[in-house]
Amino acid sequence: MNHGGGGPNRGFHTASPEEILAGPYLAFASLETALLGVLCQASGVATRAARCKVAAEGRPVYSFAARRVHPAIVPMVERAAYLAGCDGVSTVKAAEALGLQPVGTMPHSLVLMLGEERAWRGMDRVLDPKVPRVALIDTFQDEKLAAVAAARILGDRLAAVRLDTPSSRRGDLPAILREVRWELDLRGFVDVRLFVSGGLDERAIQALNPFADAYGVGSAIGSAPAIDFALDVVEVDGQPRAKRGKLSGRKLLWLCPECGNRGISPWGRRAAHCPRCGHRVRSLLETWISKGKVKAPPTIRGLRERTVRQVQDAPDPFPKET
Amino acid sequence: MNHGGGGPNRGFHTASPEEILAGPYLAFASLETALLGVLCQASGVATRAARCKVAAEGRPVYSFAARRVHPAIVPMVERAAYLAGCDGVSTVKAAEALGLQPVGTMPHSLVLMLGEERAWRGMDRVLDPKVPRVALIDTFQDEKLAAVAAARILGDRLAAVRLDTPSSRRGDLPAILREVRWELDLRGFVDVRLFVSGGLDERAIQALNPFADAYGVGSAIGSAPAIDFALDVVEVDGQPRAKRGKLSGRKLLWLCPECGNRGISPWGRRAAHCPRCGHRVRSLLETWISKGKVKAPPTIRGLRERTVRQVQDAPDPFPKET
Amino acid sequence: MNHGGGGPNRGFHTASPEEILAGPYLAFASLETALLGVLCQASGVATRAARCKVAAEGRPVYSFAARRVHPAIVPMVERAAYLAGCDGVSTVKAAEALGLQPVGTMPHSLVLMLGEERAWRGMDRVLDPKVPRVALIDTFQDEKLAAVAAARILGDRLAAVRLDTPSSRRGDLPAILREVRWELDLRGFVDVRLFVSGGLDERAIQALNPFADAYGVGSAIGSAPAIDFALDVVEVDGQPRAKRGKLSGRKLLWLCPECGNRGISPWGRRAAHCPRCGHRVRSLLETWISKGKVKAPPTIRGLRERTVRQVQDAPDPFPKET
Amino acid sequence: MNHGGGGPNRGFHTASPEEILAGPYLAFASLETALLGVLCQASGVATRAARCKVAAEGRPVYSFAARRVHPAIVPMVERAAYLAGCDGVSTVKAAEALGLQPVGTMPHSLVLMLGEERAWRGMDRVLDPKVPRVALIDTFQDEKLAAVAAARILGDRLAAVRLDTPSSRRGDLPAILREVRWELDLRGFVDVRLFVSGGLDERAIQALNPFADAYGVGSAIGSAPAIDFALDVVEVDGQPRAKRGKLSGRKLLWLCPECGNRGISPWGRRAAHCPRCGHRVRSLLETWISKGKVKAPPTIRGLRERTVRQVQDAPDPFPKET
Amino acid sequence: MNHGGGGPNRGFHTASPEEILAGPYLAFASLETALLGVLCQASGVATRAARCKVAAEGRPVYSFAARRVHPAIVPMVERAAYLAGCDGVSTVKAAEALGLQPVGTMPHSLVLMLGEERAWRGMDRVLDPKVPRVALIDTFQDEKLAAVAAARILGDRLAAVRLDTPSSRRGDLPAILREVRWELDLRGFVDVRLFVSGGLDERAIQALNPFADAYGVGSAIGSAPAIDFALDVVEVDGQPRAKRGKLSGRKLLWLCPECGNRGISPWGRRAAHCPRCGHRVRSLLETWISKGKVKAPPTIRGLRERTVRQVQDAPDPFPKET
Amino acid sequence: MNHGGGGPNRGFHTASPEEILAGPYLAFASLETALLGVLCQASGVATRAARCKVAAEGRPVYSFAARRVHPAIVPMVERAAYLAGCDGVSTVKAAEALGLQPVGTMPHSLVLMLGEERAWRGMDRVLDPKVPRVALIDTFQDEKLAAVAAARILGDRLAAVRLDTPSSRRGDLPAILREVRWELDLRGFVDVRLFVSGGLDERAIQALNPFADAYGVGSAIGSAPAIDFALDVVEVDGQPRAKRGKLSGRKLLWLCPECGNRGISPWGRRAAHCPRCGHRVRSLLETWISKGKVKAPPTIRGLRERTVRQVQDAPDPFPKET
């Protein structure tokens, strides 16, 4: 399967093999569409999640994508977001599968039914003492007064306030955050964190970093456009053959451990040295299924560590002129 | 559930109720995320599909979205595309559920393994005589010669040629189509249709209409951004109450059958007359579940007819200055 | 004095004489700078005020410019704004000079010192019963709740609520207004008007018209750029003479009462007929000072009526493509 | 009084206190509008004047704003321009108040009445020998010939030529200046300076610097938009309280003498050290009125020196990409 | 020879045959490059000239292109310009070949050597009385004074003044023309025409039309980009054959005399009726060389009339939104 | 003759003398137009050719301009292109005059008449063994397969393949080149070069450099806009005199051999030292004709070397931000 490029190539290398299937075509022909579907959508979600995480410059980012995608794929979406670097997910099912505690705050409906103060106090009363208290403060009041009110009511037990400010009130969200921060600090609530959600994407996160402490990201992750992988025949009976627009022949994907250069070369001619620095390169391809035996898959933790490291090593996705 | 608007409002009316849930909150609280997920993603897909269908100005549009989304939601995606006006879908499973024959053509892999001529002849030999023959012509050759070759080989049995031209060769796709049309016509193959696929969206379709006869649309439909519905509490114990940014109170959604005007009004005050033309309006809300009884759902055919009619009645999504 | 044009000609005709001084040059040479200063700044203010009034499509517009200009020219600024069509001014001094009652609402400082409810009630208690009650609702609370609260407290005596929403909360001010309107109406307060102020200019006013009932405009009027009039010698001893870039000779300024055409022609050759429609034209020039005698100046009311009529007859300052 | 920011913050720090009034509110409530008017307009004028002076990179800049503003505020406008760095002002009244000689050249009207040569010779004959002769050269002739003619007539006594070139002839004003410079130099008049005026602003000045020696700036200074200061209550009875969009509480404004960092902090917690470099900061606030006693105001000279120094220390207002 | 289209199709129809060569390939192969060169450059020149003429809305346009192209092709360039609608050409050689009188005015060098007045008087003295006197007025003086001076000197004998204003003085050339027109009219010289030259193209001409009476166009015509014709083999031994990107087979080019529609159709199938209006079409192709006999070529006059008529019938090259 | 500048100054210095004619005006007056024509068009062609050559970063660039210009100037155009750095020209006549072998490949017509394989083999059979074989591969087939086919047929004798890909197939020409390169290399044809032609200009060349080995440039060179030189009188009887917009007086053009600075100074005052670095400058002017004697002209080779060196020393014509 090659990534065909086209459009902004977001983190993938054009024409490089991501997956190689070798064997009788009819053995996997009927799986082509399903294989692509799994790979394209999950890669799209993961790419967007990784970008948000990079944009947050170390601050936690939680996937709130569940409400934007069909329930059947929520576990897939949250898994992809988590593997790409998100710090938590919001559904019980997905969290369980990933070995995590789900993440969330009180909903607006609670505040609407009980009123702000009763909702805050109620949450404080019923939650396990180990769970950090996060007060939702944008329901009725302006965030300025609500943040101070919540802090006064919950005192030291308040870990954070959550601003899910409606778009019609987002004239200058960084300014609102600055104001909340100032008013909390002025009254001694310097440890209360600011948790922001609502229509966030990479650019919004970058603008909020000076004042925000954590982010919940929904639509941007859930509706991330799929990556356009293609499953191309590139070799028939050992002979290179490919349709127009594709490079023919089985390929090697190599990485130079010295300079980070990455490239492809024909399978037969194992690339020995990096064309840029001359250092010996190493193959990035691993065999996962061979003669019917499937290699043991990596753990969730292992996968995530590898992905996060790759993202860190990739070029800066937000160059200055953007 | 209200649609929150914001951004380009693609076919939905801001702040109008799409679904009203009335009852004890805890009876449906745990379903909120799932309900939204079902509604948001399917509505996004359907909206994009409807736009493509409108852009095609009557030409058939088929959903080729299956390879861009996780297999678990392929039936949902293809159903939404079909209900919104697409003329067919490409997966067996989804087609069955919709009571349709799946739609597709020979794949590139067949041509790659057999060569063009053998692939075309082979398809002709094995297909049920009732199935229209569509020859894929972009694999190895330029479309100009391949179209004529396929027409010469299959003669009157060739229903259409399919151009899935790679993006690197799409300098001016309308010009390529014009050329193929000219060469076919010049040699008497005036009944061979041109079927186009590959990275199409509404704008591409509009540009190709002068020469194309049918379209297959993949990523544009499969990766359509979700519609941002919200499930908002707007009434508590009969009292209007809503968070900032939302209109409080249960609402009536009405349509003026005379002038097409559409609007909302508070539930209590049943809007009697259209504020624009004075004609008597009628409610667009229907009761689907009441006291545990679920009204029999409409048939697929009925749903599609209604949707297509609504799309036809909606304002032109492609005003001239765009 | 000619208007030199250049840049967007905002309501003035390039090269047309606005004022003609004839006599020994030394009799008025020392007044040149002062004459220009009076004319340029007041004309700039009046032009902007007229544009705001046109944009408001009949809704009242009040000049709140006093806090943006030096106190010494507040009467001049407010006079110019009023003559150009504004419905009222905010300072006692200027209002007196114009024969008006000054216009204003309670200040934020009152709300800050007393709290919202006490401020609203206090205003209601001390104001002359004939003065309409306008409650300032943006100080502490979100406008949504504050508007309903003010209406509940003051009941039928509340004439309007004023939104001076800070820019950091102006994500979508028309949406906020729509929400306030909906919540007031839903609870029966259909007669409470919405008065908007804060950083408004012509474009903002046009966007708010669907929901706003009146406007207060400050900086846009007070900081209006001066109109670039020039005091040019165009005739010396009866001979036309002018510097480069100016048309020489004393000029007649005429208007065609039939088709609205307007133009200039050399003084000697009294333009008899309109070059466009052939109708007899009439001169727009009037003699105000002659041989030391000054004609009685028109009343404020007369001046304003004439200006407003001229603005109405002028071409639409907001053509569609803007 | 805080500067509210918003829009391009031209030289002022958002939310920093420029003036603190403490005492019974009614003692200064009636002065709010006047105080703001004085501060807002003068600050706008000074900011624009400072920008022009910075743009001129050391070349003299004179305020010619008098003809664009109402005579009542000419002294205020010219004072603000002078304090911000302008090298002179054009009205007798303002110059006297500032302890300066007014600056100007012969007017176009003189040339129009006498002709160029008689005007130049006349000026030379009547002016005090100590006043530098500046010949206005754009009235009738193209600047190229007029400059040489003036230099030939006045010889060594000609200090400068003034180009007030009409906009219709400003195809490429830098090229015209270069040409005038070349023709003067070629004929030995290397000491004649080029003085430019007419519709200049910062950008025009930057483009003319390679050839111009001095500037007269009118509309850009006179019609400078006011700075949007606000007089906000931020503390009531010793308790921080502020409307939405403002930081509550009395504030300290500090400067780090080491790294130039500048910031605010709550009054109570006197900022001791710079958060950037750790150096001890110092307060920028000074007490001017206390218990009815007014501190002696600084001299004009002292004020101007301080302003000019602050402008020099401020970040470059014309970063490269602009 | 087909026009290949691509880029803005300036007056030619994509893929339509402009010239058909039939016969043994070697009989004309060596002429391919020369044939294309003749056709491409001349068509480019003619297209630009026709656009300028259309832009001038009836005012005379003269080709001043000779100084921008190699002398060897001046006759070709001026012929093409004239055939496309220009009213005259500036070189003796080209004019003779076209049966015209060459067109020109006194050069700047004459004014530079004699001075303006002597140059104007000299021209008047030596020219044949039948030649209209055109005074060049932009050499030393500003156009405003020079125009009046020339008119005073030559009186009724002055037919026009020519403004070749240098680009550095073209701040607002329409305004300069308006001023010259006003000053001439004011002094009774209402019959003196304004002739403009210098860097003009279609847009400049459109802007000057309100005041200019005639135009001289140089670089725009001389440096017009060539039209990209191609000499394509489209038929071999009676069989259609063409390279990718071209329509194969000999073609008929037809015009519908009823609705102006124009199109191509295969040679064999003589298009009988217009696909748009159903009217009988007629062929636009004419046989010029057959069996060695060359048809008598049309006269220059005949060619020009035909071209001008075609340009008039073509769609407006300057639609409103441009 | 001065270059007047204006527009993007492409390689020429504004107002610097390129040619000085001294003597009785009538001795050269009648040559003015012809002299300008020769200089303007040839300089335009040479400038564009030099830019293409610089863009190619060392790869050969051949002039294919002959088919876009009138045959009478083909030798002039190809000479200018060659002198500016092109590596060869395509017409026999021009090549002979320059002492070169003409450059070209088989035409499309050969392939159309013989078919690809017969055309390739035929070329191989009839060409002198010393001529490198270049196979045209874009006529019928997609370049991907055609390149491999040509290499298999001609084997080691194939020097290069030529891609003249039609614009309708140029979706991503660099990607097509990459694909051709990959397929050739994969099959061992690593020495076959890629020669590209068809609508190329500087930007296209820069984009293709990673994969292309040589370029043929046609329209960009042939239709290059002329450089706007002017033949200006700047001195009359030893006195400096010039029209508006020009610097008067004979000028020296100097170059600083130390820092590359270049400038002009009045003839009389021989610039001795560079104003930038203080080094002694040297004159760039040479005497070519004096008292009727013409200095022997430099050889073609000598001229080209000088031009190429000047282009190398000139500032980078493609700065990064472009």
Side-chain angles (χ1 to χ4, degrees), chain E residues 65-70 219 223, chain F residues 1-3 10 12 33-47 76 224-231:
Chain E
R67 77 188 52 203
R68 294 289 171 242
V69 297
H70 192 276
S219 295
S223 283
Chain F
M1 251 176 263
N2 296 325
H3 174 248
R10 295 156 306 141
F12 293 86
T33 297
L35 275 170
L36 278 172
V38 166
L39 199 59
C40 291
Q41 190 171 18
S43 300
V45 167
T47 301
M76 175 280 280
I227 303 293
D228 279 355
F229 287 101
L231 194 154

Side-chain angles (χ1 to χ4, degrees), chain C residues 2-306:
Chain C
N2 296 325
H3 173 249
N9 186 285
R10 294 155 308 139
F12 292 87
H13 292 253
T14 304
S16 75
E18 300 292 331
E19 206 174 308
I20 297 178
L21 306 180
Y25 180 65
L26 292 183
F28 53 81
S30 67
L31 293 173
E32 175 177 347
T33 297
L35 276 169
L36 278 172
V38 166
L39 199 59
C40 292
Q41 190 171 17
S43 299
V45 167
T47 301
R48 179 60 67 92
R51 288 173 60 87
C52 289
K53 182 66 191 171
V54 170
E57 295 174 2
R59 292 165 191 78
V61 174
Y62 302 101
S63 168
F64 281 8
R67 75 187 56 201
R68 295 287 171 244
V69 297
H70 192 276
I73 58 169
V74 165
M76 175 280 283
V77 167
E78 303 223 295
R79 179 178 183 271
Y82 178 67
L83 291 183
C86 277
D87 298 272
V89 302
S90 66
T91 56
V92 176
K93 190 83 178 178
E96 269 175 12
L98 297 167
L100 303 172
Q101 290 292 328
V103 172
T105 71
M106 63 171 66
H108 287 103
S109 49
L110 188 67
V111 184
L112 280 156
M113 285 181 289
L114 300 187
E116 280 180 335
E117 185 169 343
R118 283 183 60 208
W120 297 335
R121 291 194 193 279
M123 161 191 73
D124 184 33
R125 198 167 51 237
V126 305
L127 281 187
D128 182 315
K130 284 178 300 188
V131 176
R133 270 71 181 145
V134 181
L136 186 61
I137 60 165
D138 60 276
T139 313
F140 294 123
Q141 299 191 67
D142 190 86
E143 292 81 353
K144 181 198 192 71
L145 291 191
V148 173
R152 286 199 169 129
I153 288 170
L154 298 186
D156 284 354
R157 294 186 310 283
L158 183 66
V161 289
R162 175 178 167 205
L163 294 91
D164 194 55
T165 308
S167 62
S168 56
R169 270 72 170 180
R170 293 193 175 200
D172 183 347
L173 192 53
I176 295 175
L177 288 176
R178 181 197 186 199
E179 208 176 306
V180 169
R181 183 74 270 157
W182 172 273
E183 302 294 348
L184 287 172
D185 288 356
L186 186 69
R187 289 163 181 83
F189 303 112
V190 296
D191 292 328
V192 175
R193 303 288 107 201
L194 307 191
F195 182 104
V196 190
S197 60
L200 299 180
D201 60 9
E202 301 97 307
R203 289 183 182 273
I205 287 172
Q206 288 177 303
L208 297 173
N209 275 340
F211 303 106
D213 298 300
Y215 302 101
V217 181
S219 295
I221 288 177
S223 282
I227 304 291
D228 279 356
F229 287 101
L231 194 154
D232 295 311
V233 171
V234 293
E235 209 175 277
V236 177
D237 294 336
Q239 295 304 310
R241 198 180 303 172
K243 72 170 176 182
R244 295 189 303 154
K246 306 288 174 176
L247 307 186
S248 70
R250 192 168 169 180
K251 287 163 214 77
L252 192 73
L253 176 66
W254 51 260
L255 173 77
C256 173
E258 183 69 15
C259 74
N261 194 7
R262 216 180 119 133
I264 57 173
S265 45
W267 186 261
R269 278 171 256 154
R270 309 213 141 242
H273 298 95
C274 172
R276 190 156 71 193
C277 74
H279 195 276
R280 194 164 188 83
V281 303
R282 63 179 179 77
S283 171
L284 287 173
L285 298 173
E286 298 174 54
T287 303
W288 287 98
I289 310 183
S290 183
K291 309 190 183 196
K293 285 195 186 154
V294 183
K295 189 171 149 185
T299 61
I300 289 286
R301 172 183 301 265
L303 273 174
R304 185 168 187 270
E305 278 170 7
R306 195 169 87 168

Side-chain angles (χ1 to χ4, degrees), chain A residues 240 242 244-246 248 269, chain F residues 142 144 179 182-183 185-186:
Chain A
R244 296 189 302 156
K246 304 289 174 174
S248 70
R269 279 171 257 154
Chain F
D142 190 86
K144 182 199 192 68
E179 207 176 307
W182 171 273
E183 301 294 349
D185 287 356
L186 187 68

Side-chain angles (χ1 to χ4, degrees), chain D residues 273-285:
Chain D
H273 299 95
C274 172
R276 191 157 70 194
C277 75
H279 195 277
R280 194 165 188 83
V281 303
R282 63 180 178 75
S283 172
L284 287 172
L285 299 172

Side-chain angles (χ1 to χ4, degrees), chain D residues 142 144-145 169 175 178-180 182-183 185-188 190, chain F residues 14-15 240 242-248 251 264-266 269:
Chain D
D142 190 86
K144 182 196 191 71
L145 291 190
R169 269 71 169 180
R178 181 198 187 197
E179 209 176 307
V180 169
W182 171 274
E183 302 293 349
D185 286 355
L186 186 68
R187 290 162 181 84
V190 296
Chain F
T14 304
K243 72 172 177 182
R244 296 189 302 155
K246 305 287 174 176
L247 308 186
S248 71
K251 287 162 212 79
I264 56 173
S265 46
R269 279 172 254 153

Side-chain angles (χ1 to χ4, degrees), chain A residues 14-15 240-249 251 264-266 269, chain F residues 142-145 152 169 175 178-180 182-183 185-188 190:
Chain A
T14 304
R241 197 180 303 170
K243 70 172 177 180
R244 296 189 302 156
K246 304 289 174 174
L247 307 186
S248 70
K251 289 165 212 75
I264 56 173
S265 45
R269 279 171 257 154
Chain F
D142 190 86
E143 292 80 356
K144 182 199 192 68
L145 291 191
R152 284 195 169 132
R169 269 72 170 180
R178 182 199 186 197
E179 207 176 307
V180 169
W182 171 273
E183 301 294 349
D185 287 356
L186 187 68
R187 289 162 181 86
V190 295

Side-chain angles (χ1 to χ4, degrees), chain E residues 41-260:
Chain E
Q41 190 171 17
S43 300
V45 167
T47 301
R48 179 60 69 92
R51 289 172 60 88
C52 289
K53 183 66 191 170
V54 171
E57 296 175 3
R59 291 165 192 78
V61 173
Y62 301 102
S63 167
F64 281 8
R67 77 188 52 203
R68 294 289 171 242
V69 297
H70 192 276
I73 57 167
V74 165
M76 176 278 283
V77 167
E78 303 222 298
R79 180 177 183 271
Y82 178 67
L83 291 184
C86 277
D87 298 271
V89 301
S90 68
T91 56
V92 176
K93 190 84 179 179
E96 270 175 12
L98 297 168
L100 304 171
Q101 290 292 328
V103 172
T105 70
M106 63 170 64
H108 288 105
S109 50
L110 187 68
V111 183
L112 280 156
M113 285 181 290
L114 301 186
E116 280 180 337
E117 184 169 345
R118 282 181 63 207
W120 297 334
R121 289 194 193 279
M123 161 192 72
D124 185 33
R125 199 165 53 238
V126 305
L127 281 187
D128 182 317
K130 287 178 300 189
V131 176
R133 271 69 182 148
V134 180
L136 186 62
I137 60 165
D138 59 276
T139 313
F140 294 124
Q141 297 191 68
D142 190 87
E143 291 79 355
K144 181 197 192 73
L145 291 191
V148 172
R152 285 195 169 131
I153 288 169
L154 298 186
D156 285 354
R157 293 187 309 285
L158 183 66
V161 290
R162 175 178 166 204
L163 294 91
D164 194 56
T165 307
S167 62
S168 55
R169 269 72 170 180
R170 293 194 175 200
D172 184 348
L173 191 53
I176 295 175
L177 288 176
R178 182 199 186 195
E179 207 175 309
V180 169
R181 182 76 271 155
W182 172 273
E183 302 293 348
L184 287 172
D185 287 355
L186 186 68
R187 289 163 180 85
F189 304 113
V190 296
D191 293 328
V192 174
R193 304 287 108 200
L194 307 191
F195 182 104
V196 189
S197 60
L200 299 179
D201 61 9
E202 301 96 308
R203 289 183 181 274
I205 287 172
Q206 287 178 304
L208 298 173
N209 276 339
F211 303 106
D213 298 299
Y215 301 101
V217 181
S219 295
I221 288 177
S223 283
I227 303 292
D228 279 355
F229 287 101
L231 193 154
D232 293 312
V233 171
V234 293
E235 206 174 280
V236 177
D237 294 335
Q239 295 305 311
R241 198 179 303 170
K243 72 172 177 182
R244 296 188 301 154
K246 303 290 174 174
L247 307 186
S248 69
R250 193 168 168 177
K251 288 162 212 77
L252 192 73
L253 177 65
W254 51 259
L255 174 77
C256 172
E258 185 67 17
C259 73

